[in-house]
Amino acid sequence: MAQKFMIGELARRTETKVQTIRYYEEIGVMPQAIRAANNRRLYDETHLERLTFIRHSRELGFSLDDIRNLLALSDQPDRPCNEVDAIARTHLDNVESKIASLQVLQEELNRMISHCSGGKVSDCRIIKVLADHSLCQGHE
Amino acid sequence: MAQKFMIGELARRTETKVQTIRYYEEIGVMPQAIRAANNRRLYDETHLERLTFIRHSRELGFSLDDIRNLLALSDQPDRPCNEVDAIARTHLDNVESKIASLQVLQEELNRMISHCSGGKVSDCRIIKVLADHSLCQGHE
DNA sequence: CCTATATGCTACAGTCACTGTAGGAGCAAG
DNA sequence: CTTGCTCCTACAGTGACTGTAGCATATAGG
């Protein structure tokens, strides 16, 4: 029988907050943990693997909903992996469009800041641009 | 006396949801609107300008907290604009670091997807990488 | 005058992925 | 026996909205 450990150890080994693990159980991405006689949650290596998967996927920006689907798929090793691929590609698309729109923001912020003369608020280019969308790039 | 109009018109002219305007009033970034005899909110051009400023700042990714500060500063035209500048620069820093971390994700997702052979889930590189952080770039 | 549609109002719940807090119980070491 | 650590449940808070329920009011058409 495998070694069991409590939530604190699982939290330490996965660098996850204890509350976060309980939250994952509550919303069903982690299974209901078996309880010891004193009502404390008991885990083994399979839980550690599952939580590692979840945390790594979160680091890569997948939503918990995506992760739920990825976990369900990884439990069915014989199915083709197109669905896994589709989830990852959709997420990549989202990441790419987020990068693109942040780069537009970045340019606009740079433009605003570089035009600021360091004088009084009444002359501040930043305030002017914020007040008037037409001063933005591409609107002159 | 200036022309007054109701929340629906303000919403249309700023492309903002009516609820969002009421929300801005509730949290104090928009002033408490004067009410007509029938209890409806009345606005004029100054409200339109303020809301335009807020919406444009939001589009550029400023938090409502930042916007509150920017609005307070823009109401004091004689003060030097270093504080405005500082808010904008801090925000730009945040945008830039967000871009950088999304680019790391983008690369990793690309790597994962390109290694996926299109076979069965049990052989899927995407699932393997998610389960094992050490397969990530820089960890081999 | 009646009705349909549009708009307004308040108040509250839901989103996402946690994080924090209150209040209590159990257990080991000193 | 007390101190300190970990565990438990239950609930509130975050940011920036968005949606819904249930009601009142206003305007236009028939």
Short mmCIF file of all heavy atoms in Angstrom, two decimals, chain A residues 38-67:
data_model
loop_
_atom_site.label_atom_id
_atom_site.label_comp_id
_atom_site.label_asym_id
_atom_site.label_seq_id
_atom_site.Cartn_x
_atom_site.Cartn_y
_atom_site.Cartn_z
N ASN A 38 -9.21 11.17 11.74
CA ASN A 38 -9.39 12.52 12.29
C ASN A 38 -9.90 13.54 11.26
O ASN A 38 -9.78 14.74 11.46
CB ASN A 38 -8.07 13.01 12.90
CG ASN A 38 -6.92 12.95 11.88
OD1 ASN A 38 -7.15 12.80 10.68
ND2 ASN A 38 -5.71 13.05 12.38
N ASN A 39 -10.45 13.04 10.15
CA ASN A 39 -11.08 13.89 9.12
C ASN A 39 -10.10 14.62 8.22
O ASN A 39 -10.51 15.44 7.40
CB ASN A 39 -12.05 14.89 9.76
CG ASN A 39 -13.00 15.48 8.74
OD1 ASN A 39 -13.43 14.79 7.80
ND2 ASN A 39 -13.31 16.75 8.88
N ARG A 40 -8.83 14.30 8.35
CA ARG A 40 -7.86 15.01 7.50
C ARG A 40 -7.69 14.31 6.16
O ARG A 40 -7.74 13.09 6.07
CB ARG A 40 -6.53 15.12 8.23
CG ARG A 40 -6.74 15.93 9.48
CD ARG A 40 -5.49 16.27 10.20
NE ARG A 40 -5.87 17.06 11.37
CZ ARG A 40 -5.02 17.64 12.17
NH1 ARG A 40 -3.73 17.50 11.96
NH2 ARG A 40 -5.45 18.33 13.20
N ARG A 41 -7.49 15.13 5.11
CA ARG A 41 -7.34 14.59 3.76
C ARG A 41 -6.04 13.82 3.61
O ARG A 41 -4.99 14.28 4.06
CB ARG A 41 -7.37 15.73 2.75
CG ARG A 41 -8.73 16.38 2.58
CD ARG A 41 -8.60 17.64 1.75
NE ARG A 41 -9.90 18.29 1.53
CZ ARG A 41 -10.48 19.12 2.38
NH1 ARG A 41 -9.90 19.41 3.53
NH2 ARG A 41 -11.65 19.64 2.11
N LEU A 42 -6.13 12.66 2.94
CA LEU A 42 -4.93 11.86 2.69
C LEU A 42 -4.68 11.76 1.19
O LEU A 42 -5.61 11.55 0.40
CB LEU A 42 -5.11 10.45 3.28
CG LEU A 42 -5.17 10.38 4.80
CD1 LEU A 42 -5.41 8.94 5.25
CD2 LEU A 42 -3.86 10.91 5.40
N TYR A 43 -3.42 11.91 0.81
CA TYR A 43 -3.03 11.88 -0.60
C TYR A 43 -1.92 10.86 -0.83
O TYR A 43 -1.22 10.46 0.10
CB TYR A 43 -2.54 13.26 -1.01
CG TYR A 43 -3.60 14.33 -0.90
CD1 TYR A 43 -3.67 15.16 0.21
CD2 TYR A 43 -4.56 14.48 -1.90
CE1 TYR A 43 -4.65 16.13 0.32
CE2 TYR A 43 -5.54 15.44 -1.80
CZ TYR A 43 -5.58 16.27 -0.68
OH TYR A 43 -6.56 17.21 -0.58
N ASP A 44 -1.77 10.45 -2.09
CA ASP A 44 -0.62 9.62 -2.48
C ASP A 44 -0.01 10.19 -3.76
O ASP A 44 -0.36 11.28 -4.20
CB ASP A 44 -1.04 8.16 -2.66
CG ASP A 44 -2.12 8.00 -3.72
OD1 ASP A 44 -2.18 8.82 -4.66
OD2 ASP A 44 -2.92 7.05 -3.62
N GLU A 45 0.91 9.43 -4.34
CA GLU A 45 1.67 9.93 -5.50
C GLU A 45 0.77 10.27 -6.70
O GLU A 45 1.08 11.16 -7.48
CB GLU A 45 2.73 8.91 -5.92
CG GLU A 45 3.80 8.65 -4.87
CD GLU A 45 4.60 9.89 -4.47
OE1 GLU A 45 4.94 10.70 -5.37
OE2 GLU A 45 4.87 10.06 -3.27
N THR A 46 -0.35 9.54 -6.85
CA THR A 46 -1.23 9.83 -7.99
C THR A 46 -1.83 11.23 -7.87
O THR A 46 -2.00 11.94 -8.86
CB THR A 46 -2.37 8.80 -8.13
OG1 THR A 46 -3.24 8.90 -7.00
CG2 THR A 46 -1.83 7.38 -8.21
N HIS A 47 -2.14 11.63 -6.63
CA HIS A 47 -2.65 12.99 -6.42
C HIS A 47 -1.57 14.01 -6.74
O HIS A 47 -1.85 15.07 -7.31
CB HIS A 47 -3.12 13.17 -4.98
CG HIS A 47 -4.29 12.31 -4.62
ND1 HIS A 47 -4.14 11.09 -3.99
CD2 HIS A 47 -5.62 12.48 -4.83
CE1 HIS A 47 -5.35 10.57 -3.80
NE2 HIS A 47 -6.25 11.37 -4.31
N LEU A 48 -0.36 13.69 -6.35
CA LEU A 48 0.75 14.59 -6.62
C LEU A 48 0.93 14.80 -8.13
O LEU A 48 1.10 15.91 -8.60
CB LEU A 48 2.03 14.03 -6.00
CG LEU A 48 3.20 15.00 -6.03
CD1 LEU A 48 3.54 15.47 -4.63
CD2 LEU A 48 4.40 14.39 -6.70
N GLU A 49 0.84 13.70 -8.87
CA GLU A 49 0.96 13.81 -10.32
C GLU A 49 -0.15 14.66 -10.93
O GLU A 49 0.10 15.49 -11.79
CB GLU A 49 0.91 12.42 -10.97
CG GLU A 49 2.24 11.69 -10.93
CD GLU A 49 2.09 10.23 -11.31
OE1 GLU A 49 1.25 9.90 -12.19
OE2 GLU A 49 2.80 9.39 -10.71
N ARG A 50 -1.37 14.40 -10.44
CA ARG A 50 -2.49 15.14 -10.99
C ARG A 50 -2.37 16.63 -10.69
O ARG A 50 -2.58 17.48 -11.55
CB ARG A 50 -3.81 14.59 -10.41
CG ARG A 50 -5.04 15.01 -11.19
CD ARG A 50 -6.28 14.33 -10.67
NE ARG A 50 -7.49 14.79 -11.31
CZ ARG A 50 -8.09 14.19 -12.34
NH1 ARG A 50 -7.57 13.09 -12.84
NH2 ARG A 50 -9.20 14.68 -12.86
N LEU A 51 -1.99 16.95 -9.48
CA LEU A 51 -1.86 18.37 -9.10
C LEU A 51 -0.70 19.02 -9.86
O LEU A 51 -0.80 20.19 -10.26
CB LEU A 51 -1.67 18.49 -7.58
CG LEU A 51 -1.65 19.92 -7.03
CD1 LEU A 51 -2.84 20.74 -7.50
CD2 LEU A 51 -1.60 19.89 -5.51
N THR A 52 0.36 18.27 -10.08
CA THR A 52 1.48 18.80 -10.87
C THR A 52 1.02 19.16 -12.28
O THR A 52 1.33 20.23 -12.80
CB THR A 52 2.61 17.75 -10.93
OG1 THR A 52 3.02 17.45 -9.60
CG2 THR A 52 3.80 18.26 -11.73
N PHE A 53 0.24 18.25 -12.85
CA PHE A 53 -0.33 18.50 -14.18
C PHE A 53 -1.17 19.78 -14.18
O PHE A 53 -1.03 20.64 -15.05
CB PHE A 53 -1.21 17.29 -14.56
CG PHE A 53 -1.77 17.33 -15.96
CD1 PHE A 53 -1.22 16.55 -16.97
CD2 PHE A 53 -2.86 18.12 -16.26
CE1 PHE A 53 -1.75 16.56 -18.26
CE2 PHE A 53 -3.39 18.14 -17.55
CZ PHE A 53 -2.83 17.37 -18.56
N ILE A 54 -2.03 19.91 -13.18
CA ILE A 54 -2.90 21.09 -13.09
C ILE A 54 -2.08 22.36 -12.97
O ILE A 54 -2.29 23.33 -13.70
CB ILE A 54 -3.87 20.97 -11.88
CG1 ILE A 54 -4.83 19.79 -12.09
CG2 ILE A 54 -4.64 22.25 -11.67
CD1 ILE A 54 -5.62 19.40 -10.84
N ARG A 55 -1.11 22.35 -12.05
CA ARG A 55 -0.32 23.56 -11.81
C ARG A 55 0.50 23.94 -13.02
O ARG A 55 0.63 25.11 -13.34
CB ARG A 55 0.57 23.37 -10.58
CG ARG A 55 -0.21 23.22 -9.30
CD ARG A 55 -1.17 24.35 -9.05
NE ARG A 55 -0.50 25.54 -8.54
CZ ARG A 55 -1.12 26.68 -8.28
NH1 ARG A 55 -2.43 26.80 -8.47
NH2 ARG A 55 -0.45 27.71 -7.83
N HIS A 56 1.06 22.94 -13.68
CA HIS A 56 1.86 23.27 -14.84
C HIS A 56 0.98 23.83 -15.96
O HIS A 56 1.35 24.79 -16.64
CB HIS A 56 2.65 22.04 -15.31
CG HIS A 56 3.69 22.37 -16.34
ND1 HIS A 56 4.19 21.44 -17.21
CD2 HIS A 56 4.31 23.54 -16.62
CE1 HIS A 56 5.07 22.05 -17.99
NE2 HIS A 56 5.17 23.30 -17.66
N SER A 57 -0.20 23.25 -16.11
CA SER A 57 -1.11 23.76 -17.13
C SER A 57 -1.54 25.20 -16.81
O SER A 57 -1.64 26.05 -17.69
CB SER A 57 -2.35 22.86 -17.22
OG SER A 57 -1.97 21.53 -17.51
N ARG A 58 -1.78 25.47 -15.54
CA ARG A 58 -2.13 26.83 -15.13
C ARG A 58 -0.98 27.79 -15.42
O ARG A 58 -1.21 28.90 -15.89
CB ARG A 58 -2.47 26.88 -13.63
CG ARG A 58 -3.82 26.28 -13.28
CD ARG A 58 -4.99 27.11 -13.80
NE ARG A 58 -4.98 28.45 -13.28
CZ ARG A 58 -5.19 29.54 -14.03
NH1 ARG A 58 -5.45 29.43 -15.32
NH2 ARG A 58 -5.15 30.72 -13.49
N GLU A 59 0.25 27.35 -15.16
CA GLU A 59 1.41 28.20 -15.47
C GLU A 59 1.45 28.54 -16.95
O GLU A 59 1.90 29.62 -17.34
CB GLU A 59 2.72 27.49 -15.09
CG GLU A 59 3.14 27.66 -13.65
CD GLU A 59 4.34 26.77 -13.34
OE1 GLU A 59 5.27 26.70 -14.15
OE2 GLU A 59 4.31 26.12 -12.27
N LEU A 60 1.02 27.59 -17.77
CA LEU A 60 0.99 27.83 -19.21
C LEU A 60 -0.27 28.57 -19.63
O LEU A 60 -0.53 28.78 -20.81
CB LEU A 60 1.14 26.51 -19.97
CG LEU A 60 2.53 25.89 -19.89
CD1 LEU A 60 2.54 24.48 -20.44
CD2 LEU A 60 3.55 26.75 -20.65
N GLY A 61 -1.09 28.95 -18.65
CA GLY A 61 -2.22 29.83 -18.92
C GLY A 61 -3.51 29.14 -19.30
O GLY A 61 -4.49 29.80 -19.63
N PHE A 62 -3.56 27.80 -19.23
CA PHE A 62 -4.83 27.12 -19.52
C PHE A 62 -5.84 27.43 -18.42
O PHE A 62 -5.48 27.55 -17.24
CB PHE A 62 -4.62 25.60 -19.60
CG PHE A 62 -3.91 25.15 -20.84
CD1 PHE A 62 -2.54 24.95 -20.84
CD2 PHE A 62 -4.61 24.95 -22.04
CE1 PHE A 62 -1.87 24.54 -22.00
CE2 PHE A 62 -3.95 24.54 -23.19
CZ PHE A 62 -2.59 24.34 -23.18
N SER A 63 -7.11 27.57 -18.81
CA SER A 63 -8.16 27.76 -17.82
C SER A 63 -8.44 26.45 -17.11
O SER A 63 -8.13 25.37 -17.63
CB SER A 63 -9.45 28.25 -18.50
OG SER A 63 -9.98 27.21 -19.29
N LEU A 64 -9.05 26.52 -15.95
CA LEU A 64 -9.40 25.29 -15.23
C LEU A 64 -10.38 24.45 -16.03
O LEU A 64 -10.38 23.22 -15.93
CB LEU A 64 -9.96 25.63 -13.84
CG LEU A 64 -8.89 26.08 -12.84
CD1 LEU A 64 -9.53 26.58 -11.56
CD2 LEU A 64 -7.93 24.95 -12.53
N ASP A 65 -11.18 25.10 -16.83
CA ASP A 65 -12.11 24.38 -17.69
C ASP A 65 -11.35 23.56 -18.75
O ASP A 65 -11.65 22.39 -18.96
CB ASP A 65 -13.04 25.37 -18.38
CG ASP A 65 -14.46 24.86 -18.41
OD1 ASP A 65 -14.95 24.46 -17.33
OD2 ASP A 65 -15.05 24.83 -19.50
N ASP A 66 -10.38 24.20 -19.39
CA ASP A 66 -9.52 23.47 -20.33
C ASP A 66 -8.82 22.32 -19.61
O ASP A 66 -8.72 21.21 -20.15
CB ASP A 66 -8.42 24.41 -20.87
CG ASP A 66 -8.93 25.29 -22.01
OD1 ASP A 66 -10.03 25.03 -22.51
OD2 ASP A 66 -8.21 26.23 -22.38
N ILE A 67 -8.35 22.59 -18.42
CA ILE A 67 -7.58 21.58 -17.68
C ILE A 67 -8.46 20.38 -17.35
O ILE A 67 -8.05 19.23 -17.45
CB ILE A 67 -6.96 22.20 -16.41
CG1 ILE A 67 -5.91 23.25 -16.81
CG2 ILE A 67 -6.35 21.13 -15.51
CD1 ILE A 67 -5.39 24.10 -15.68
#
